[in-house]
Amino acid sequence: MKKIINDPANVVAESLRGMAAAHPELLRVRTDPAVIVRADAPVTGKVAVVSGGGSGHEPLHGGFVGAGMLAAAVPGAVFTSPTPDAVQAAIDETNGGAGALLVVKNYTGDVLNFETAAELAGIDGVDVRSVIVDDDVAVKDSTHTAGRRGVGGTVMVEKIVGAAADSGADLDRCEELAKRVVSQVRSMGMALTAPTVPHAGQPSFDLDADEMEIGIGIHGEPGRARVPLTSAEDIVQLLLDPIVEDLPFTSGDDVLLFTNSMGGTPLLELYLAHGIAERLLAERGIRVQRRLVGPYVTSLEMQGVSLTLLKLDDELTELWDAPVHTAALHW
């Protein structure tokens, strides 16, 4: 294992200290328990949009804390759900009196711990709602979740609901928007290599040089099929077909296309894949109106790509376009 680290046990804590040093104008970091909070939080009368999960997926979620997106993010250990007390601390730090919306990826530990925190906050009189993101079409069940996993669609939920909250939308409205995005977003990913968790010291699974894994998760879970390595054209087709057929997306639909690096895939290859995806969608009559390309939901240094499609309407498009200023996303 080759990594730029000191002690594997302290990777997350040291990374968070560096993040706080790099972005003091955007966020502040609480270390015990670990919470990343928007610099101006709490904002009186504003719904607090809070998310989180295991570390190792950066910039998800801490990179999306700031104006127009998350009020707070809760980072667990690498590929490990944050504890309920950390989630509750994030709710406390951002409570402006208008309630909190928890954006939760569909992994068993995340769902359980965020729900526990919501119940504890409710006892303290805070109105807390949870929305589960389950956009991964690759599997119905996995070792980490009951039902579909939450992956790239999480970024769409956080951006759109964060914009609504910043515009003054109440908790009911934020919850409705989050559920609408979840119902209209689908994703699928693949890997050329496995990630190496620092405290494990070896790859999460083995792939031969001429193999690839289709339908992987973001915690090093194997996918739905291990197949011979093929061309970028074929890889994009293997990812896009199940996504389009699942919703389904049809001719005339306006969509946001998110082409995501799993951490180790360079932009040279990512843009190549994105161009193929745009062409294949155009051939189906599906109109790409908005785009996001880059490493936004990673799995440490995994080489691979995921595609996410969100069916747009006028309101979702307007909220996606709304100003955002976070460490990882800004316009």
Side-chain angles (χ1 to χ4, degrees):
M1 180 178 72
K2 288 183 177 180
K3 291 185 180 290
I4 302 171
I5 61 174
N6 295 312
D7 182 347
N10 296 330
V11 166
V12 173
E14 292 187 54
S15 179
L16 289 175
R17 284 198 289 272
M19 188 178 194
H23 304 288
E25 75 287 0
L26 297 178
L27 52 85
R28 63 180 188 267
V29 173
R30 173 174 172 172
T31 57
D32 187 20
V35 179
I36 304 165
V37 183
R38 182 170 157 170
D40 61 354
V43 178
T44 302
K46 176 182 173 297
V47 172
V49 183
V50 176
S51 192
S55 296
H57 308 304
E58 289 74 22
L60 193 78
H61 295 272
F64 302 133
V65 172
M69 214 157 172
L70 295 178
V74 194
V78 175
F79 293 179
T80 303
S81 303
T83 56
D85 65 311
V87 179
Q88 191 177 14
I91 296 169
D92 291 342
E93 291 264 352
T94 57
N95 179 22
L101 182 74
L102 307 183
V103 179
V104 187
K105 302 188 304 300
N106 191 31
Y107 298 94
T108 303
D110 285 12
V111 172
L112 177 62
N113 292 347
F114 274 80
E115 285 183 351
T116 300
E119 291 172 3
L120 293 171
I123 293 171
D124 293 336
V126 183
D127 189 356
V128 181
R129 318 276 177 85
S130 295
V131 173
I132 308 298
V133 184
D134 57 354
D135 56 310
D136 189 357
V137 304
V139 292
K140 292 183 178 179
D141 292 285
S142 77
T143 54
H144 288 68
T145 178
R148 291 180 168 180
R149 303 175 289 214
V151 285
T154 313
V155 180
M156 276 73 259
V157 176
E158 293 176 354
K159 169 63 183 78
I160 287 168
V161 179
D166 262 25
S167 73
D170 64 15
L171 187 56
D172 288 339
R173 184 69 179 137
C174 289
E175 182 182 26
E176 184 275 324
L177 280 166
K179 289 180 176 178
R180 193 196 320 169
V181 175
V182 169
S183 73
Q184 296 178 190
V185 68
R186 300 290 187 271
S187 301
M188 190 165 172
M190 59 77 62
L192 302 176
T193 64
T196 299
V197 177
H199 64 261
Q202 58 188 16
S204 300
F205 54 88
D206 295 318
L207 276 175
D208 290 339
D210 60 350
E211 291 181 321
M212 62 182 185
E213 194 88 18
I214 298 293
I216 46 86
I218 59 173
H219 299 93
E221 312 101 306
R224 63 156 63 168
R226 185 165 296 186
V227 298
L229 183 62
T230 185
S231 66
E233 184 85 19
D234 290 343
I235 289 170
V236 173
Q237 191 89 59
L238 284 167
L239 298 180
L240 205 55
D241 284 351
I243 292 171
V244 170
E245 292 160 7
D246 191 87
L247 190 61
F249 295 87
T250 59
S251 179
D253 283 346
D254 292 328
V255 300
L256 185 159
L257 171 60
F258 171 27
T259 305
N260 175 64
S261 167
M262 301 305 298
T265 296
L267 281 169
L268 178 75
E269 297 169 33
L270 206 61
Y271 281 125
L272 189 156
H274 181 87
I276 295 169
E278 288 231 14
R279 174 172 51 78
L280 293 176
L281 288 168
E283 289 172 2
R284 293 174 181 257
I286 298 170
R287 300 181 300 233
V288 179
Q289 301 288 8
R290 296 294 185 273
R291 299 142 178 98
L292 184 66
V293 181
Y296 292 104
V297 183
T298 65
S299 182
L300 294 169
E301 78 282 32
M302 179 191 282
Q303 287 182 268
V305 63
S306 66
L307 298 177
T308 297
L309 274 188
L310 169 64
K311 185 175 180 179
L312 291 171
D313 55 41
D314 289 345
E315 183 178 29
L316 296 186
T317 303
E318 182 181 355
L319 290 167
W320 177 259
D321 288 346
V324 60
H325 190 189
T326 70
L329 209 63
H330 39 85
W331 57 70

